[in-house]
Amino acid sequence: MTRVTSPPETKNPIQVVERMMKLLDVLAHHPDPAPLKQIAQETGLHPSTAHRILGAMSQSGFVERGEGGTYRLGIRLLELGSLVKSRISLRETAMPAMLKLHAATGESINLGIRDGDEIVYVDRTSSGRSAVRVVHIVGARAPLHTTATGKLFLVEDGLERVREYARRTGLPASTPGSITDPAALEKELDKVRRHGVAFDLDEVENGVRCIAAGIRDDSGELIAGLSLSTPSERFNPDRAPLLREAADEISRALGYVPNRISH
Protein backbone atom coordinates (compact mmCIF):
# COMPACT_ATOMS: atom_id res chain seq x y z
CA MET A 1 0.00 0.00 0.00
CA THR A 2 1.29 3.45 -0.94
CA ARG A 3 1.69 5.80 1.97
CA VAL A 4 0.11 9.20 1.46
CA THR A 5 2.32 12.09 2.46
CA SER A 6 1.79 15.79 2.35
CA PRO A 7 3.40 17.56 -0.63
CA PRO A 8 6.79 19.13 0.03
CA GLU A 9 6.52 22.73 1.20
CA THR A 10 8.94 23.85 -1.51
CA LYS A 11 6.28 23.17 -4.12
CA ASN A 12 4.02 25.79 -2.57
CA PRO A 13 6.12 28.68 -1.22
CA ILE A 14 3.06 30.80 -0.40
CA GLN A 15 1.75 28.02 1.84
CA VAL A 16 5.13 27.79 3.57
CA VAL A 17 5.11 31.53 4.29
CA GLU A 18 1.55 31.30 5.66
CA ARG A 19 2.61 28.43 7.93
CA MET A 20 5.66 30.37 9.10
CA MET A 21 3.46 33.33 10.03
CA LYS A 22 1.08 31.01 11.85
CA LEU A 23 3.98 29.54 13.84
CA LEU A 24 5.30 33.00 14.72
CA ASP A 25 1.85 34.11 15.88
CA VAL A 26 1.50 31.07 18.16
CA LEU A 27 5.00 31.51 19.61
CA ALA A 28 4.26 35.20 20.20
CA HIS A 29 1.43 34.22 22.55
CA HIS A 30 3.71 32.02 24.68
CA PRO A 31 5.94 33.91 27.15
CA ASP A 32 7.84 30.67 27.83
CA PRO A 33 9.33 28.16 25.37
CA ALA A 34 6.59 25.89 23.98
CA PRO A 35 6.90 22.18 23.11
CA LEU A 36 6.52 21.04 19.51
CA LYS A 37 3.36 19.05 20.23
CA GLN A 38 1.57 22.08 21.65
CA ILE A 39 2.75 24.35 18.81
CA ALA A 40 1.54 21.85 16.22
CA GLN A 41 -1.82 21.52 17.96
CA GLU A 42 -2.35 25.29 18.16
CA THR A 43 -1.32 25.91 14.55
CA GLY A 44 -3.21 22.94 13.17
CA LEU A 45 -0.05 21.70 11.47
CA HIS A 46 1.20 18.12 11.45
CA PRO A 47 4.06 17.80 13.99
CA SER A 48 6.51 16.75 11.28
CA THR A 49 5.57 19.79 9.16
CA ALA A 50 5.87 22.15 12.14
CA HIS A 51 9.22 20.57 13.07
CA ARG A 52 10.59 20.99 9.55
CA ILE A 53 9.58 24.65 9.24
CA LEU A 54 10.70 25.49 12.79
CA GLY A 55 14.07 23.92 11.98
CA ALA A 56 14.54 26.22 8.99
CA MET A 57 13.42 29.22 11.03
CA SER A 58 15.89 28.30 13.78
CA GLN A 59 18.76 28.34 11.29
CA SER A 60 17.78 31.88 10.29
CA GLY A 61 17.47 33.07 13.90
CA PHE A 62 13.73 33.73 13.73
CA VAL A 63 13.10 30.92 16.19
CA GLU A 64 15.28 29.58 18.99
CA ARG A 65 15.24 25.86 19.82
CA GLY A 66 15.65 24.99 23.48
CA GLU A 67 16.15 21.85 25.53
CA GLY A 68 13.59 19.11 25.22
CA GLY A 69 12.45 20.22 21.76
CA THR A 70 10.88 23.49 22.88
CA TYR A 71 10.77 26.65 20.78
CA ARG A 72 10.50 30.38 21.32
CA LEU A 73 10.88 33.53 19.21
CA GLY A 74 14.46 34.23 18.14
CA ILE A 75 16.77 37.20 18.50
CA ARG A 76 16.58 37.97 14.77
CA LEU A 77 13.04 39.26 15.28
CA LEU A 78 14.28 41.68 17.94
CA GLU A 79 16.98 42.92 15.57
CA LEU A 80 14.47 43.47 12.77
CA GLY A 81 11.97 45.06 15.15
CA SER A 82 14.57 47.51 16.40
CA LEU A 83 15.51 48.35 12.82
CA VAL A 84 11.88 48.99 11.85
CA LYS A 85 11.27 51.11 14.95
CA SER A 86 14.38 53.22 14.28
CA ARG A 87 13.10 53.98 10.79
CA ILE A 88 9.64 55.03 11.87
CA SER A 89 9.23 58.78 11.95
CA LEU A 90 6.28 60.13 13.94
CA ARG A 91 5.77 63.03 11.55
CA GLU A 92 6.01 60.90 8.40
CA THR A 93 3.75 58.24 9.87
CA ALA A 94 1.16 60.78 11.03
CA MET A 95 0.95 62.89 7.88
CA PRO A 96 -1.25 60.56 5.72
CA ALA A 97 -3.89 60.40 8.47
CA MET A 98 -3.57 64.15 9.05
CA LEU A 99 -4.12 64.90 5.37
CA LYS A 100 -7.10 62.53 5.24
CA LEU A 101 -8.67 64.20 8.28
CA HIS A 102 -7.92 67.62 6.81
CA ALA A 103 -9.67 66.62 3.56
CA ALA A 104 -12.69 65.34 5.49
CA THR A 105 -13.09 68.43 7.67
CA GLY A 106 -11.39 71.30 5.83
CA GLU A 107 -9.86 72.39 9.14
CA SER A 108 -6.32 72.71 10.47
CA ILE A 109 -4.88 69.46 11.84
CA ASN A 110 -1.98 69.69 14.29
CA LEU A 111 0.59 67.25 15.65
CA GLY A 112 1.87 68.17 19.10
CA ILE A 113 4.42 66.61 21.45
CA ARG A 114 5.28 67.30 25.07
CA ASP A 115 8.37 69.22 26.11
CA GLY A 116 8.39 69.61 29.88
CA ASP A 117 5.42 71.74 30.93
CA GLU A 118 4.55 72.73 27.37
CA ILE A 119 3.19 71.34 24.15
CA VAL A 120 5.26 71.97 21.01
CA TYR A 121 3.55 71.74 17.62
CA VAL A 122 5.77 69.81 15.21
CA ASP A 123 3.53 69.57 12.15
CA ARG A 124 0.34 71.10 10.80
CA THR A 125 -2.00 71.17 7.82
CA SER A 126 -3.44 74.62 7.10
CA SER A 127 -7.15 75.05 6.54
CA GLY A 128 -7.03 78.07 4.25
CA ARG A 129 -10.68 78.68 5.11
CA SER A 130 -10.36 81.58 7.49
CA ALA A 131 -8.33 84.69 8.18
CA VAL A 132 -8.45 83.83 11.90
CA ARG A 133 -4.89 83.32 13.11
CA VAL A 134 -4.44 79.95 14.77
CA VAL A 135 -1.66 79.68 17.34
CA HIS A 136 -0.89 76.10 16.39
CA ILE A 137 1.88 76.82 13.92
CA VAL A 138 4.93 74.57 13.65
CA GLY A 139 7.30 75.35 16.50
CA ALA A 140 4.68 77.16 18.59
CA ARG A 141 4.46 76.35 22.30
CA ALA A 142 1.66 76.52 24.84
CA PRO A 143 1.20 75.41 28.48
CA LEU A 144 -0.13 71.89 29.05
CA HIS A 145 -3.25 72.98 30.95
CA THR A 146 -4.46 75.35 28.22
CA THR A 147 -4.16 73.00 25.25
CA ALA A 148 -6.29 70.02 24.29
CA THR A 149 -3.17 67.91 23.62
CA GLY A 150 -1.59 69.05 26.90
CA LYS A 151 -4.63 67.87 28.84
CA LEU A 152 -4.12 64.38 27.39
CA PHE A 153 -0.60 64.32 28.82
CA LEU A 154 -1.76 65.63 32.19
CA VAL A 155 -4.32 62.82 32.40
CA GLU A 156 -1.48 60.38 31.75
CA ASP A 157 0.54 61.93 34.60
CA GLY A 158 -2.01 61.05 37.28
CA LEU A 159 -3.46 63.17 40.07
CA GLU A 160 -0.33 63.73 42.18
CA ARG A 161 1.80 64.88 39.27
CA VAL A 162 -1.03 67.12 38.03
CA ARG A 163 -1.11 68.80 41.44
CA GLU A 164 2.67 69.21 41.32
CA TYR A 165 2.31 70.78 37.87
CA ALA A 166 -0.34 73.20 39.18
CA ARG A 167 1.88 74.23 42.11
CA ARG A 168 4.99 74.52 39.95
CA THR A 169 3.46 76.60 37.16
CA GLY A 170 0.70 78.45 38.99
CA LEU A 171 -1.59 77.64 36.02
CA PRO A 172 -1.02 80.93 34.17
CA ALA A 173 -3.83 82.17 31.92
CA SER A 174 -3.36 82.68 28.17
CA THR A 175 -6.92 83.98 27.71
CA PRO A 176 -9.92 84.70 29.96
CA GLY A 177 -11.09 81.18 29.10
CA SER A 178 -7.96 79.45 30.45
CA ILE A 179 -8.36 77.18 33.46
CA THR A 180 -6.45 78.70 36.38
CA ASP A 181 -8.01 76.85 39.32
CA PRO A 182 -6.47 73.46 40.29
CA ALA A 183 -9.85 71.98 41.27
CA ALA A 184 -11.39 73.05 37.95
CA LEU A 185 -8.43 71.52 36.10
CA GLU A 186 -8.86 68.20 37.91
CA LYS A 187 -12.56 68.19 37.04
CA GLU A 188 -11.71 68.91 33.39
CA LEU A 189 -9.11 66.12 33.28
CA ASP A 190 -11.64 63.68 34.71
CA LYS A 191 -13.86 64.39 31.68
CA VAL A 192 -10.90 63.88 29.34
CA ARG A 193 -10.15 60.55 31.01
CA ARG A 194 -13.73 59.37 30.60
CA HIS A 195 -14.20 60.47 26.99
CA GLY A 196 -10.76 59.76 25.56
CA VAL A 197 -10.60 63.19 23.87
CA ALA A 198 -9.74 66.65 25.16
CA PHE A 199 -11.01 70.12 24.30
CA ASP A 200 -9.53 73.60 24.29
CA LEU A 201 -12.37 76.14 24.28
CA ASP A 202 -10.75 79.52 23.59
CA GLU A 203 -8.13 78.67 26.24
CA VAL A 204 -4.96 79.25 24.22
CA GLU A 205 -6.23 81.92 21.87
CA ASN A 206 -9.51 83.85 21.79
CA GLY A 207 -11.70 82.71 18.92
CA VAL A 208 -9.96 79.35 18.42
CA ARG A 209 -11.14 75.97 19.68
CA CYS A 210 -9.57 72.52 19.49
CA ILE A 211 -10.26 68.81 19.90
CA ALA A 212 -7.38 66.40 20.57
CA ALA A 213 -6.87 62.64 20.76
CA GLY A 214 -3.76 60.77 21.88
CA ILE A 215 -1.19 58.90 19.81
CA ARG A 216 0.64 55.96 21.42
CA ASP A 217 3.71 54.02 20.37
CA ASP A 218 4.37 50.29 20.38
CA SER A 219 5.06 50.32 24.13
CA GLY A 220 1.70 51.98 24.86
CA GLU A 221 3.28 55.29 25.86
CA LEU A 222 1.46 58.51 24.94
CA ILE A 223 3.94 60.27 22.64
CA ALA A 224 1.85 62.90 20.84
CA GLY A 225 -1.54 64.45 20.40
CA LEU A 226 -3.48 64.92 17.17
CA SER A 227 -5.67 68.00 17.29
CA LEU A 228 -8.17 69.76 15.07
CA SER A 229 -8.28 73.53 15.47
CA THR A 230 -11.05 75.73 14.15
CA PRO A 231 -12.46 79.24 14.62
CA SER A 232 -14.94 79.18 17.51
CA GLU A 233 -17.93 79.87 15.26
CA ARG A 234 -17.20 76.70 13.24
CA PHE A 235 -16.39 74.49 16.24
CA ASN A 236 -18.20 71.14 16.12
CA PRO A 237 -17.62 68.71 19.03
CA ASP A 238 -19.25 65.94 16.98
CA ARG A 239 -15.97 65.66 15.05
CA ALA A 240 -14.37 64.01 18.08
CA PRO A 241 -14.91 60.43 16.82
CA LEU A 242 -13.25 61.32 13.49
CA LEU A 243 -10.25 62.69 15.33
CA ARG A 244 -10.01 59.69 17.64
CA GLU A 245 -10.17 57.36 14.63
CA ALA A 246 -7.32 59.23 12.90
CA ALA A 247 -5.19 59.19 16.08
CA ASP A 248 -5.82 55.45 16.49
CA GLU A 249 -4.77 54.88 12.88
CA ILE A 250 -1.45 56.62 13.53
CA SER A 251 -0.96 54.66 16.77
CA ARG A 252 -1.50 51.37 14.93
CA ALA A 253 1.04 52.42 12.28
CA LEU A 254 3.53 53.00 15.11
CA GLY A 255 2.95 49.47 16.40
CA TYR A 256 0.43 50.11 19.17
CA VAL A 257 -1.84 47.15 19.93
CA PRO A 258 -4.59 48.20 22.40
CA ASN A 259 -5.56 44.72 23.60
CA ARG A 260 -1.98 43.67 24.23
CA ILE A 261 -0.73 46.66 26.16
CA SER A 262 -2.32 48.14 29.23
CA HIS A 263 -1.59 51.56 30.62
Side-chain angles (χ1 to χ4, degrees), residues 242-261:
L242 274 178
L243 194 71
R244 194 160 45 205
E245 185 179 320
D248 288 347
E249 181 181 329
I250 298 168
S251 296
R252 287 193 298 271
L254 292 170
Y256 175 58
V257 182
N259 294 332
R260 189 182 64 201
I261 304 167

Side-chain angles (χ1 to χ4, degrees), residues 49-245:
T49 301
H51 181 264
R52 186 161 50 248
I53 299 174
L54 286 168
M57 293 168 75
S58 297
Q59 291 177 5
S60 303
F62 289 100
V63 169
E64 184 178 310
R65 189 174 191 271
E67 295 180 2
T70 59
Y71 296 87
R72 64 179 179 181
L73 295 179
I75 196 70
R76 182 64 179 148
L77 292 170
L78 180 62
E79 294 169 353
L80 292 175
S82 297
L83 187 63
V84 171
K85 187 174 181 180
S86 70
R87 291 178 178 176
I88 291 176
S89 159
L90 171 62
R91 293 172 68 183
E92 289 177 8
T93 303
M95 188 49 70
M98 290 175 68
L99 291 173
K100 188 162 67 175
L101 186 59
H102 170 74
T105 63
E107 304 293 359
S108 297
I109 309 301
N110 319 288
L111 183 66
I113 62 172
R114 181 176 187 168
D115 182 19
D117 290 340
E118 296 178 313
I119 290 298
V120 182
Y121 294 95
V122 296
D123 225 333
R124 177 174 182 249
T125 68
S126 182
S127 74
R129 286 181 54 179
S130 172
V132 173
R133 183 180 66 84
V134 177
V135 76
H136 300 159
I137 57 175
V138 174
R141 292 172 172 266
L144 295 176
H145 68 285
T146 63
T147 66
T149 291
K151 291 172 186 175
L152 296 171
F153 279 97
L154 287 173
V155 165
E156 204 77 358
D157 279 352
L159 188 57
E160 284 308 311
R161 289 173 65 186
V162 167
R163 288 175 176 171
E164 287 174 15
Y165 167 83
R167 287 192 294 268
R168 182 171 64 249
T169 64
L171 302 181
S174 299
T175 71
S178 300
I179 297 174
T180 57
D181 175 61
L185 178 61
E186 290 177 22
K187 186 176 180 180
E188 173 76 3
L189 295 179
D190 186 55
K191 285 194 292 185
V192 174
R193 187 180 297 106
R194 286 186 281 112
H195 297 293
V197 291
F199 295 93
D200 150 23
L201 305 179
D202 302 86
E203 296 168 56
V204 174
E205 183 179 6
N206 281 320
V208 177
R209 297 188 172 190
C210 287
I211 311 171
I215 295 171
R216 296 184 182 274
D217 66 9
D218 61 324
S219 69
E221 181 182 354
L222 180 68
I223 59 167
L226 186 70
S227 62
L228 180 152
S229 56
T230 176
S232 298
E233 65 269 16
R234 281 208 307 267
F235 179 70
N236 181 0
D238 292 339
R239 285 172 167 163
L242 274 178
L243 194 71
R244 194 160 45 205
E245 185 179 320

